[in-house]
Amino acid sequence: MQPRTFRFVLAYEGTGFWGFARQPDRRTIEGTLWQALQPMLPDLRKIVVGGRTDRGVHATGQVISLRTRCPVDSDRLGRCIDHAAPGEIACLHAERTRHGFHAQFWARSRSYTYLHPAERDAPRAGRLERLLQALVGTRDFFAFARDTPKGRSTVRRLEWVRVRSVLHDGRPHLRFDLIGRSFLRHQVRVMVATALREAAAPESSDDALLRLAETHDRTATEPPAPPGHLHLVKIVY
């Protein structure tokens, strides 16, 4: 039988996991999926993820793909994923897709949302949006990344940014929405944390984040904002 390619859209609550990627002696999303799927797919060699998430980060639109020669259908695989960690991982969509589909390399854009609890003296959404809008475009985001593998390019394209004041679980939050083709490790959380710092500084100008990007100095930007408020919302192909 020729290998077949399957595509799945997942949602997960990341609090109880050490990120997506498998790690020895750590509970991860990929490791949990592997344990569930491998008995059904003994020829499974790799689970490809559209947007790798760190420890504690959530997803409402994660995409994975895999290839197998085993005679199974997408619905059965989707149910298997649903049973892997009930209440923590859910399969929102399952399908057999075109040969060669690759959840990572075929992605055209990734959308993230960060929900920051807004205190009474929180910066205004408009001010935060102007700071982040200055970074829209293609540039070196080295200053806003962490733990980048040696030799890996830190040039990325930020496509779109929006910041709004919203109610979440009945409480005021600042909602950061960011879209880009891809993001560096911790990039979104460092950008959010640094924007909050600069927005609270009266002497800071609207191009402050752009000027920080041009320094290529990671010590000039803030540590990543807490991961529990970050969601991978959507991947477009």
Side-chain angles (χ1 to χ4, degrees):
M1 179 181 290
Q2 292 296 316
R4 295 176 294 167
T5 303
F6 292 90
R7 173 180 178 269
F8 307 90
V9 181
L10 310 181
Y12 50 79
E13 161 65 50
T15 305
F17 297 93
W18 286 70
F20 184 89
R22 276 196 295 172
Q23 302 178 50
D25 303 319
R26 300 288 192 190
R27 185 172 186 254
T28 68
I29 300 292
E30 183 183 17
T32 302
L33 295 175
W34 189 275
Q35 290 178 352
L37 291 168
Q38 210 277 332
M40 188 184 302
L41 307 175
D43 66 339
L44 183 63
R45 295 292 176 265
K46 188 175 184 179
I47 296 174
V48 179
V49 64
R52 182 171 167 173
T53 52
D54 295 323
R55 179 185 178 186
V57 175
H58 316 295
T60 56
Q62 178 68 277
V63 178
I64 63 169
S65 61
L66 58 85
R67 297 178 66 193
T68 181
R69 295 177 184 271
C70 296
V72 293
D73 60 38
S74 59
D75 289 342
R76 186 180 175 194
L77 292 174
R79 289 192 298 271
C80 181
I81 291 172
D82 276 335
H83 294 147
E88 294 180 288
I89 302 175
C91 181
L92 306 180
H93 179 76
E95 66 175 353
R96 181 180 175 184
T97 189
R98 71 180 74 177
H99 178 72
F101 173 80
H102 194 284
Q104 178 186 2
F105 297 148
W106 284 32
R108 295 169 53 196
S109 70
R110 295 166 173 88
S111 302
Y112 286 87
T113 291
Y114 193 93
L115 287 166
H116 176 73
E119 305 298 335
R120 182 169 296 181
D121 59 346
R124 292 184 179 274
R127 167 79 161 132
L128 289 160
E129 184 168 290
R130 290 193 299 273
L131 283 161
L132 288 164
Q133 281 282 356
L135 294 174
V136 171
T138 302
R139 68 188 74 262
D140 192 336
F141 282 94
F142 176 88
F144 293 95
R146 300 292 186 269
D147 304 326
T148 307
K150 188 175 181 179
R152 186 76 56 86
S153 172
T154 51
V155 174
R156 293 292 186 273
R157 180 172 180 80
L158 181 62
E159 300 283 353
W160 184 82
V161 171
R162 182 170 63 176
V163 185
R164 293 177 290 161
S165 296
V166 299
L167 285 177
H168 179 70
D169 292 336
R171 296 184 177 181
H173 284 69
L174 289 164
R175 173 172 170 156
F176 297 78
D177 294 301
L178 303 96
I179 300 177
R181 172 127 192 203
S182 63
F183 291 89
L184 298 162
R185 189 173 185 193
H186 300 323
Q187 180 186 339
V188 172
R189 291 195 284 134
V190 173
M191 288 169 60
V192 167
T194 307
L196 287 165
R197 182 193 73 189
E198 294 299 320
E203 72 280 3
S204 183
S205 61
D206 286 347
D207 67 347
L209 296 189
L210 179 60
R211 289 188 286 107
L212 287 171
E214 292 169 348
T215 68
H216 301 99
D217 181 4
R218 288 180 174 173
T219 66
T221 56
E222 286 291 292
H229 303 297
L230 182 62
H231 299 73
L232 172 58
V233 176
K234 187 176 182 180
I235 303 178
V236 175
Y237 293 90

